[in-house]
Amino acid sequence: MPLILDGNRVRDQILSELKPRVEALAAGGRPPGLAVILAGHNPASEIYVRGKIKACHHLGIYSESLTLPETITTDELLAAVDQLNGRGDIDGILVQLPLPPQVDARRILLAVAPEKDVDGFHPCNVGRLATGLPGPRACTPAGILQLLMRYGIAIAGKRAVVVGRSDIVGKPVALLLLHENATVTVCHSKTPDLAAVCREADILVAAIGRAAMITGDFIRSGATVIDVGMNRLDRREDVARIFRNSPEKLAALEMRGSVLVGDVDPIAMAEKASAYTPVPGGVGPLTIAMLMANTVESAERRAGIC
Ligand code: NDP
């Protein structure tokens, strides 16, 4: 039986470890503070922001969400970020993406003070990651490393293949694996014979955004597979094909109108991998946990504790 890397369990562990640190900060003067900026009304973003605020409440982290109009300009948003940069009670600033199209997202992300950049997206922090200096790491990649380490999956000396080279998942996870002494290959849409490259992996990370694209012939028997993808299927034929006519999945589609699937064929993954992350319940829960960890670390650094 393959080992299922349970993201909910690891998330709960991480949050319970953070709780006394939050309490110590609160007892020392004030709790950590996180500000989340949301511009416009994107239903998915609203759900993510609610999840982040809920996690803050659970831990005792002070949080506020700033909901700005869809019509906001780059300058107005820059002013909002600047105001938060100057606030003593705010340790972390998160700008929920995507931003409305008229806003220059690059300028906004650059404007967040690097010491409050709890997403780890600022070039200063990307540079710190690249050079192995301490600093906030992008949350989803950091969560993947936590999952591997807490389940005792060996990384040093292993062959890791990352499919996807985005700034928020593919590149940072490749760097984190490299720092842990894996031999890392990063693949993308122009990689020839992707399946053959993936079959070399002891640790295969799929961060592509294409439902069940990684099929059984991409997976080496006994590999660890980390499926980062979150794709919604709303067509019956796709659900039937990918989940091999699973009555539970078809019933879930009827009830909810869509079914979540990763970038890896879930049935092939369960058959061939020695350990894997399910979707949902694998990588997803770690993203918010690591956001909380980055916020607590930022508060500790600013309080001179670490
Ligand atoms: P991006 O769209 O930014 O990047 C996708 C990457 O996949 C690109 O590098 C692209 O290559 C590559 N790619 C696309 N098609 C192919 C192909 N046919 N063969 C090989 N490579 C391909 O996506 P993200 O990194 O932001 O997200 C990836 C997935 O992870 C999504 O499903 C997203 O929803 C999910 N996600 C999940 C999170 C979580 O918390 N669980 C958090 C963040 C993301 P190229 O660069 O050449 O275009």
Side-chain angles (χ1 to χ4, degrees):
M1 281 289 281
L3 176 65
I4 296 176
L5 306 174
D6 181 346
N8 290 315
R9 202 185 118 209
V10 173
R11 173 203 54 203
D12 291 347
Q13 264 176 19
I14 292 171
L15 294 182
S16 67
E17 290 163 14
L18 289 174
K19 198 146 182 136
R21 291 166 62 187
V22 173
E23 284 163 2
L25 282 159
R30 65 167 183 83
L34 175 69
V36 182
I37 298 181
L38 181 64
H41 291 290
N42 176 324
S45 294
E46 283 167 5
I47 293 171
Y48 293 141
V49 168
R50 272 204 297 277
K52 290 167 186 175
I53 300 289
K54 197 169 140 204
C56 287
H57 282 309
H58 169 76
L59 277 181
I61 292 178
Y62 169 75
S63 66
E64 60 185 51
S65 65
L66 201 63
T67 306
L68 301 167
E70 183 79 48
T71 51
I72 189 132
T73 64
T74 301
D75 284 343
E76 286 164 340
L77 204 42
L78 285 173
V81 169
D82 200 43
Q83 202 253 341
L84 291 169
N85 281 340
R87 289 250 311 261
D89 60 335
I90 294 296
D91 303 292
I93 302 170
L94 184 149
V95 183
Q96 186 65 48
L97 299 176
L99 290 169
Q102 75 281 5
V103 173
D104 184 342
R106 223 167 245 261
R107 277 183 71 199
I108 303 298
L109 294 180
L110 270 173
V112 174
E115 66 277 13
K116 294 191 178 186
D117 165 40
V118 281
D119 256 338
F121 292 164
H122 192 288
C124 274
N125 292 323
V126 176
R128 288 182 157 268
L129 164 62
T131 52
L133 287 171
R137 307 300 194 219
C139 299
T140 303
I144 292 169
L145 266 286
Q146 286 295 321
L147 259 178
L148 292 170
M149 287 170 162
R150 287 174 187 249
Y151 272 99
I153 308 277
I155 302 175
K158 300 295 177 186
R159 222 21 235 281
V161 174
V162 178
V163 189
R165 56 175 163 180
S166 72
D167 291 339
I168 63 168
V169 189
K171 280 183 209 157
V173 82
L175 281 165
L176 288 171
L177 289 164
L178 182 63
H179 290 321
E180 293 301 324
N181 298 315
T183 301
V184 184
T185 304
V186 182
C187 305
H188 46 77
S189 63
K190 309 290 186 293
T191 301
D193 203 355
L194 183 63
V197 182
C198 289
R199 277 196 302 273
E200 292 172 10
D202 301 306
I203 299 172
L204 177 61
V205 181
I208 310 162
R210 286 174 182 252
M213 193 195 99
I214 302 295
T215 50
D217 57 332
F218 290 61
I219 303 170
R220 171 147 115 200
S221 260
T224 294
V225 181
I226 304 293
D227 189 356
V228 188
M230 293 213 289
N231 310 289
R232 285 211 171 272
L233 302 175
D234 52 15
R235 290 173 8 153
R236 197 173 195 285
E237 61 265 38
D238 292 336
V239 176
R241 175 176 47 84
I242 291 173
F243 291 100
R244 323 285 198 274
N245 292 311
S246 152
E248 294 87 45
K249 291 292 176 184
L250 289 167
L253 175 69
E254 287 292 316
M255 210 159 66
R256 296 190 215 113
S258 68
V259 167
L260 203 59
V261 71
D263 290 338
V264 185
D265 179 320
I267 290 161
M269 178 162 68
E271 281 169 4
K272 294 194 86 171
S274 62
Y276 70 93
T277 56
V279 177
V283 173
L286 270 304
T287 301
I288 291 185
M290 298 319 290
L291 173 68
M292 297 299 112
N294 281 348
T295 304
V296 172
E297 259 159 48
S298 168
E300 288 174 341
R301 256 198 304 274
R302 294 180 72 238
I305 295 174
C306 68

